[in-house]
Amino acid sequence: MSEQGKSLSGLSAEEARAFHGLFVSSMVIFTAIATVAHVLVWNWKPWFQ
Protein backbone atom coordinates (compact mmCIF):
# COMPACT_ATOMS: atom_id res chain seq x y z
CA MET A 1 0.00 0.00 0.00
CA SER A 2 1.11 3.54 -0.56
CA GLU A 3 1.69 6.20 2.03
CA GLN A 4 -1.90 7.45 1.84
CA GLY A 5 -3.47 4.03 2.56
CA LYS A 6 -4.50 3.45 -1.04
CA SER A 7 -4.08 0.26 -3.06
CA LEU A 8 -2.84 -0.07 -6.62
CA SER A 9 -6.37 0.70 -7.83
CA GLY A 10 -6.32 4.01 -5.98
CA LEU A 11 -9.22 3.04 -3.71
CA SER A 12 -9.12 2.98 0.04
CA ALA A 13 -10.26 -0.17 1.84
CA GLU A 14 -13.63 1.46 2.60
CA GLU A 15 -14.12 2.53 -1.03
CA ALA A 16 -13.14 -0.93 -2.25
CA ARG A 17 -15.73 -2.55 0.05
CA ALA A 18 -18.42 -0.17 -1.22
CA PHE A 19 -17.48 -0.88 -4.84
CA HIS A 20 -17.48 -4.63 -4.21
CA GLY A 21 -20.94 -4.47 -2.63
CA LEU A 22 -22.31 -2.55 -5.61
CA PHE A 23 -20.62 -4.93 -8.05
CA VAL A 24 -22.01 -8.03 -6.33
CA SER A 25 -25.56 -6.66 -6.10
CA SER A 26 -25.46 -5.59 -9.76
CA MET A 27 -24.27 -9.06 -10.78
CA VAL A 28 -27.09 -10.72 -8.81
CA ILE A 29 -29.68 -8.46 -10.46
CA PHE A 30 -28.20 -9.09 -13.92
CA THR A 31 -28.22 -12.87 -13.34
CA ALA A 32 -31.85 -12.76 -12.16
CA ILE A 33 -32.95 -10.78 -15.22
CA ALA A 34 -31.04 -13.12 -17.56
CA THR A 35 -32.60 -16.17 -15.89
CA VAL A 36 -36.11 -14.76 -16.24
CA ALA A 37 -35.43 -13.88 -19.89
CA HIS A 38 -34.21 -17.41 -20.61
CA VAL A 39 -37.26 -18.96 -18.95
CA LEU A 40 -39.59 -16.70 -20.95
CA VAL A 41 -37.87 -17.57 -24.24
CA TRP A 42 -37.92 -21.27 -23.31
CA ASN A 43 -41.68 -21.06 -22.71
CA TRP A 44 -42.18 -19.25 -26.02
CA LYS A 45 -39.95 -21.43 -28.20
CA PRO A 46 -38.05 -24.33 -26.56
CA TRP A 47 -34.69 -25.02 -28.14
CA PHE A 48 -34.46 -28.64 -26.86
CA GLN A 49 -37.26 -31.14 -26.71
Side-chain angles (χ1 to χ4, degrees), residues 6-7 12 14-15 17 22-26 28 31 34 36-37 40-41 43 46-49:
K6 302 249 181 189
S7 64
S12 66
E14 187 176 316
E15 291 169 332
R17 281 189 207 96
L22 181 61
F23 181 84
V24 169
S25 61
S26 298
V28 168
T31 303
V36 170
L40 291 174
V41 170
N43 286 331
W47 49 86
F48 291 115
Q49 293 193 38

Side-chain angles (χ1 to χ4, degrees), residues 3 8 10-11 13-14 17-21 23-24 27-29 31-32 36 38 45-47:
E3 299 169 13
L8 291 176
L11 299 175
E14 187 176 316
R17 281 189 207 96
F19 177 81
H20 180 262
F23 181 84
V24 169
M27 186 64 184
V28 168
I29 292 168
T31 303
V36 170
H38 278 80
K45 191 173 183 179
W47 49 86

